[in-house]
Amino acid sequence: MEAIPWGKPYEGDPEPISAKPLFGYVQPWNGFDPECTIQNREECHLLPSQTANIKVAGVYDGIEVGGNRWMEMAAEEALLSVRNGGGPFGAVILQIDDQSNHVIRYWRNHNHVPDWHDPTAHAEVSTIRAAARELGVFDLGNIAKGQSKMSQPGARSHCVIYSSAEPCPMCYSAIYWARIPRLIFAATRYDAAAQGVDFSDEALYRELGQPYAERQGVKASQSTVPNSLDAFNLWKRKTKTSY
């Protein structure tokens, strides 16, 4: 989970995928078809290896791009996670020097929910935590040379994140709060929800779109107490480090 030095130019974002036919398009696939080892072998024929991403109703129109070493590295990290008992998710964060456009260093990490007994230890969150902790900053989108605990050649740098799969709402929010300006992901939310994978976020997306009184997953109440605003009132009236 420690930073890995790189010091080479950032190749830039993956190239956009050119217009493809509505029918007849074949997505590249590396042929990885692992042996089925689930306990009930009779179900193996129901869980064939998937060869293409599931993209529904134009959700990804206008944002489809090809791959690069960093996207492949995030997918490799996800595979490593599964082989070590973790969830099938990986992420890579690059720190890029603004002036030279060189990748100063990068972090790669994966899902740690089972081994850390931490339901928030998704790949993106774990990687953000590692990068922010080593750099000593909470804004990964604008890192000043004098503020960072780690060296950088130029006055400013920023991070981008590659995720093996479309981030869940929690991870997307973590990327947002870390102010990482660029996200590239591979597998879609529909791939994650496929039979046998079963990591669907649809209930959460629906839940967040409902008023509190109509939500089903968590019963929430707004409580009125005399000291509910104490922390906010002190915060706004004292010298502080905003974030």
Side-chain angles (χ1 to χ4, degrees), residues 168-222:
C168 72
M170 178 186 73
C171 292
Y172 188 89
S173 299
I175 293 166
Y176 177 91
W177 284 115
R179 294 178 173 84
I180 297 175
R182 188 71 176 100
L183 159 70
I184 303 98
F185 61 85
T188 71
R189 73 181 78 163
Y190 307 104
D191 297 327
Q195 180 170 277
V197 183
D198 302 323
F199 283 100
S200 177
D201 297 323
E202 288 307 309
L204 185 50
Y205 283 110
R206 288 196 303 270
E207 187 93 340
L208 292 173
Q210 297 293 323
Y212 275 109
E214 298 176 19
R215 296 183 185 182
Q216 303 296 317
V218 176
K219 182 179 179 180
S221 298
Q222 190 278 318

Side-chain angles (χ1 to χ4, degrees), residues 7-218:
K8 300 177 184 178
Y10 180 48
E11 306 90 333
D13 291 349
E15 291 292 326
I17 293 178
S18 57
K20 57 184 186 293
L22 183 61
F23 301 104
Y25 173 74
V26 178
Q27 178 177 319
W29 179 52
N30 68 357
F32 182 66
D33 187 20
E35 179 187 359
C36 181
T37 60
I38 60 175
Q39 188 170 4
N40 186 354
R41 298 299 182 87
E42 294 181 359
E43 294 183 356
C44 285
H45 72 284
L46 301 175
L47 303 170
S49 292
Q50 188 176 321
T51 66
N53 298 122
I54 303 171
K55 303 178 184 182
V56 176
V59 172
Y60 308 103
D61 285 357
I63 70 163
E64 294 174 279
V65 298
N68 60 17
R69 76 171 79 224
W70 307 110
M71 192 70 265
E72 291 178 0
M73 184 183 293
E76 290 167 0
E77 190 69 23
L79 183 60
L80 176 67
S81 180
V82 176
R83 285 173 167 161
N84 286 278
F89 305 98
V92 176
I93 289 179
L94 315 181
Q95 184 189 5
I96 302 171
D97 183 67
D98 287 1
Q99 184 174 356
S100 67
N101 199 43
H102 278 50
V103 177
I104 304 168
R105 56 183 63 88
Y106 66 91
W107 293 261
R108 56 182 294 175
N109 210 331
H110 54 258
N111 180 283
H112 288 282
V113 171
D115 53 320
W116 290 357
H117 307 288
D118 181 354
T120 70
H122 290 199
E124 297 90 341
V125 171
S126 299
T127 313
I128 289 170
R129 287 172 177 169
R133 186 180 302 113
E134 278 202 83
L135 290 168
V137 300
F138 48 75
D139 183 344
L140 296 179
N142 184 18
I143 306 165
K145 189 171 187 175
Q147 296 176 337
S148 175
K149 294 196 301 184
M150 305 186 79
S151 63
Q152 61 184 57
R156 298 276 173 180
S157 66
H158 68 280
C159 291
V160 301
I161 184 167
Y162 286 82
S163 178
S164 68
E166 184 174 357
C168 72
M170 178 186 73
C171 292
Y172 188 89
S173 299
I175 293 166
Y176 177 91
W177 284 115
R179 294 178 173 84
I180 297 175
R182 188 71 176 100
L183 159 70
I184 303 98
F185 61 85
T188 71
R189 73 181 78 163
Y190 307 104
D191 297 327
Q195 180 170 277
V197 183
D198 302 323
F199 283 100
S200 177
D201 297 323
E202 288 307 309
L204 185 50
Y205 283 110
R206 288 196 303 270
E207 187 93 340
L208 292 173
Q210 297 293 323
Y212 275 109
E214 298 176 19
R215 296 183 185 182
Q216 303 296 317
V218 176

